[in-house]
Amino acid sequence: MNTEKRKLPIGIDNFEELRRENFYYVDKTGLIMELLRNWGKVNLFTRPRRFGKTLNMSMLEQFFSVDYKERGELFEGLSVWQDDKYRRMQGTYPVISLSFASVKERNYQMMRKKICHLLTKLFYTQHAFLLESGFLCEADVRYVKRI
């Protein structure tokens, strides 16, 4: 049994950091199983401020993303890891994750500029391969290149 004292995850919104640094964590990986069982074209997650939306999105990204393919240890001991059918899905999808947590601008123009900056960073640094992948239609490629 690990007797190391755990820390409270105040302000932590990154699932990997929370697990790696041994913070207290209430297992919410049942959300992954629920989403897979009750699939929908669109899923809307609404919660009040400070209710873990960004942390849950980080958990979902790190479970599904090919960028975390060899990172199953993040989910060891959690409910999603108990079933082999879910374990096989870990790290198997390309994931685009965009959080608006840092968008706290005072007016519409500044908010729009911040969102455009986030999209540009996302496409041109993290997922630039999409521009050449053939997955985006030509209009989408032109739009992204305009930002």
Side-chain angles (χ1 to χ4, degrees):
M1 184 167 144
N2 185 356
T3 59
E4 181 182 333
K5 189 171 183 176
R6 291 181 180 250
K7 302 171 268 187
L8 292 174
I10 297 169
I12 306 297
D13 62 4
N14 182 291
F15 182 77
E16 178 184 8
E17 179 183 358
L18 185 137
R19 296 287 289 166
R20 185 185 63 237
E21 300 296 326
N22 200 31
F23 284 96
Y24 279 108
Y25 176 67
V26 175
D27 186 357
K28 297 179 186 173
T29 60
L31 173 64
I32 296 167
M33 297 180 291
E34 184 70 22
L35 286 170
L36 291 168
R37 280 194 300 267
N38 299 312
W39 184 87
K41 259 187 169 177
V42 175
N43 294 289
L44 176 64
F45 301 101
T46 60
R47 298 286 184 276
R49 290 184 68 231
R50 313 293 307 159
F51 265 67
K53 293 180 298 294
T54 304
L55 177 59
N56 280 338
M57 296 309 290
S58 174
M59 173 192 67
L60 289 168
E61 174 189 4
Q62 292 171 24
F63 182 80
F64 289 111
S65 177
V66 294
D67 293 337
Y68 287 84
K69 182 176 178 70
E70 303 297 326
R71 299 302 311 276
E73 79 278 358
L74 294 173
F75 297 92
E76 287 177 3
L78 301 177
S79 61
V80 73
W81 213 245
Q82 305 308 309
D83 189 326
D84 186 54
K85 128 176 119 174
Y86 298 118
R87 274 197 309 275
R88 286 192 313 266
M89 295 177 134
Q90 195 275 324
T92 58
Y93 293 94
V95 173
I96 296 174
S97 180
L98 177 63
S99 172
F100 292 108
S102 66
V103 180
K104 297 178 170 97
E105 308 310 315
R106 293 180 181 240
N107 59 50
Y108 173 78
Q109 290 80 13
M110 292 302 293
M111 179 193 69
R112 186 176 187 282
K113 185 176 181 177
K114 177 75 172 199
I115 291 171
C116 287
H117 174 74
L118 288 172
L119 288 170
T120 301
K121 182 179 173 188
L122 181 70
F123 277 102
Y124 284 110
T125 59
Q126 295 173 323
H127 300 287
F129 69 92
L130 288 173
L131 294 172
E132 306 299 327
S133 70
F135 290 122
L136 299 175
C137 71
E138 192 58 39
D140 290 337
V141 172
R142 282 193 311 273
Y143 176 76
V144 171
K145 287 183 177 181
R146 272 196 339 242
I147 295 177

